[in-house]
Amino acid sequence: MRGTATPLRRSPDPGSGPGTGTGPAPDVLVLGGGVIGLVTAWRAARRGLRVTVVDPEPGGGAATVAAGMLAAVTELHHGEETLLDLNLASAARYPDFVAELEEAAGGDVGYRACGTLAVAFDADDRAHLRELHALQQRCGLASEWLTGRECRRLEPLLAPSVRGGVRADGDHQIDPRRLAAALLRACERAGVGFRRAAAARLLTGRDRAVGAALEDGGQVHAGQTVLALGSRSGTLAGLPDGAVPPVRPVKGQVLRLRMPPAGVAGPFLSRTVRAVVRGGPLYLVPRENGELVVGATSEELGWDTTVTAGGVYELLRDAHELVPGVTELPLAETRAGLRPGSPDNAPLLGPTRLPGLHLATGHYRNGVLLTPVTGEAMAQLLATGELPGYARPFTPDRFAPSRPLQQEEQTV
Ligand code: GLY
């Protein structure tokens, strides 16, 4: 699309505010150093742009809580067929993306092509799963209906009460913590600069975004600014009305357990296992390093990231129903993170109505899955001024009101 993006150009000179630094101003300022901000920065740097990332703790964020399922097929929902195309495009890029990133960062990112089994317990769950399978078939996706016995043949530790399931051999997994760490290293090696401070305010001048003021008192000026602050993207001061992304936090509590080494009877679980239990989704993601990730609650509680006894109880109760042996495992960690939810559950990618300001946020349940395609699309936008065709249905203007931007100008 030809939008308000600024075509590739070098910024004329460094800003003059305190903390701007002595080097030249970057072409691109990325606000937020989670996986979405980092992949945008890495890909943009690879295209020859000078990039600075602002984040007090780059490599953190919601992905460090996430399970890392690449579940385009088993996490499909009615009404999300457009998002499905983007999810599939990103899943298809994963093997090459991982190979390139591992070479650039010099480390393993825990990508595992293990497939997924989604199972049902009672008549309601089974009807729900049948619906999902029918939708997958209508969308032309590769998935197969299995009986309960066939499910247990694949995963012998499943409860005897499992009544059927859907096998999706293309839904894989990655370790999001290793992914974030590798992206951070790849950025550093590609020459991306880091300002370890929080962004305090968007700076604007002459009707465009020109950078950000930081909480440490500094400023960074750039020709283009990317807002990638996850669930906090709408809270940045200085955003004019009409450019505020409609994202909200959706809390997810997640557990990490330790599986025993695979014995003669095979591994504890050999693939991701999912279910809907009492109407709520549950998943168990077994990593090759022995970690078993159990998730996740979905709670609309604002900025609360408390791990609650009730959340842990429900996850363990449901996981025990699915695979009774889980309660024998050591519980290694409990965490809560905030998914950046958007009104249509799809990300906001691309230019805003304020020239020079782009969004890469609102990835909701699919931030890890959408990491490769987001980096590619945002880097193309930043380098050429145009988003690739597959990203155009996700531009922020689908939510923007038609009234003019209201902005309070910041002197820079
Ligand atoms: N995609 C998994 C979750 O959001 O819980």
Side-chain angles (χ1 to χ4, degrees):
M1 89 178 270
R2 200 164 283 285
T4 52
T6 310
L8 171 58
R9 66 184 172 83
R10 296 283 178 193
S11 304
D13 63 68
S16 55
T20 302
T22 50
D27 302 303
V28 176
L29 172 61
V30 179
L31 304 178
V35 290
I36 295 300
L38 291 177
V39 77
T40 299
W42 178 47
R43 289 308 206 190
R46 284 244 166 159
R47 295 187 72 137
L49 296 170
R50 284 191 309 253
V51 185
T52 294
V53 173
V54 164
D55 194 302
E57 290 177 46
T64 58
V65 179
M69 287 177 300
L70 309 176
V73 176
T74 47
E75 215 163 298
L76 177 63
H77 288 75
H78 283 283
E80 293 185 4
E81 288 80 357
T82 308
L83 175 58
L84 171 66
D85 289 340
L86 193 69
N87 287 345
L88 290 172
S90 205
R93 282 163 173 74
Y94 244 105
D96 287 348
F97 173 79
V98 164
E100 202 183 331
L101 179 59
E102 287 183 342
E103 193 184 335
D108 173 33
V109 295
Y111 178 68
R112 188 173 178 202
C114 59
T116 295
L117 179 65
V119 301
F121 289 108
D122 57 22
D124 285 353
D125 292 347
R126 199 164 179 279
H128 177 95
L129 202 56
R130 278 281 188 201
E131 271 296 308
L132 174 65
H133 186 236
L135 178 61
Q136 291 165 344
Q137 299 304 295
R138 283 200 297 282
C139 293
L141 301 173
S143 66
E144 183 190 358
W145 182 265
L146 302 182
T147 64
R149 183 170 303 186
E150 287 167 331
C151 291
R152 279 186 296 279
R153 205 172 294 137
L154 286 180
E155 295 298 339
L157 294 190
L158 279 175
S161 48
V162 164
R163 298 179 59 167
V166 169
R167 176 178 179 168
D169 284 346
D171 275 5
H172 302 317
Q173 57 154 298
I174 191 165
D175 184 334
R177 292 178 179 175
R178 290 192 188 183
L179 173 67
L183 284 169
L184 184 55
R185 271 198 309 278
C187 280
E188 285 164 351
R189 290 182 177 183
V192 172
F194 285 89
R195 287 293 303 268
R196 285 174 164 75
R201 168 175 283 276
L202 184 75
L203 297 175
T204 55
R206 297 209 181 99
D207 295 329
R208 57 174 296 119
V210 296
L214 313 186
E215 280 186 357
D216 66 4
Q219 296 186 349
V220 182
H221 298 160
Q224 304 186 74
T225 299
V226 179
L227 181 52
L229 288 169
S231 58
R232 297 201 177 267
S233 298
T235 66
L236 183 69
L239 288 170
D241 284 352
V244 180
V247 289
R248 67 185 197 286
V250 182
K251 178 179 172 183
Q253 300 190 48
V254 174
L255 315 177
R256 282 174 163 80
L257 288 69
R258 301 290 320 165
M259 296 179 293
V264 280
F268 188 83
L269 289 176
S270 61
R271 73 203 71 225
T272 297
V273 173
R274 307 177 56 107
V276 174
V277 186
R278 295 179 196 86
L282 178 78
Y283 44 81
L284 277 66
V285 183
R287 301 225 195 283
E288 258 157 7
N289 66 6
E291 183 176 82
L292 180 68
V293 186
V294 179
T297 64
S298 190
E299 305 163 72
E300 305 257 1
L301 295 173
W303 306 108
D304 173 46
T305 52
T306 315
V307 175
T308 63
V312 174
Y313 165 71
E314 281 173 24
L315 289 171
L316 285 176
R317 178 196 62 197
D318 295 349
H320 174 75
E321 252 177 68
L322 187 62
V323 178
V326 292
T327 46
E328 306 296 322
L329 303 181
L331 176 59
E333 188 186 299
T334 57
R335 286 276 299 274
L338 299 173
R339 305 174 184 89
S342 76
D344 60 4
N345 300 338
L348 292 92
L349 302 175
T352 66
R353 295 172 61 226
L354 180 68
L357 178 67
H358 310 296
L359 300 185
T361 189
H363 292 69
Y364 190 34
R365 297 185 307 259
N366 297 307
V368 176
L369 171 59
L370 290 174
T371 293
V373 89
T374 298
E376 183 183 294
M378 294 306 294
Q380 180 170 323
L381 171 70
L382 292 163
T384 69
E386 294 195 29
L387 274 176
Y390 61 75
R392 290 178 200 163
F394 304 99
T395 51
D397 59 9
R398 71 190 191 277
F399 300 122
S402 52
R403 65 198 158 86
L405 288 174
Q406 300 290 315
Q407 91 190 63
E408 168 202 345
E409 184 145 317
Q410 294 300 305
T411 312
V412 294

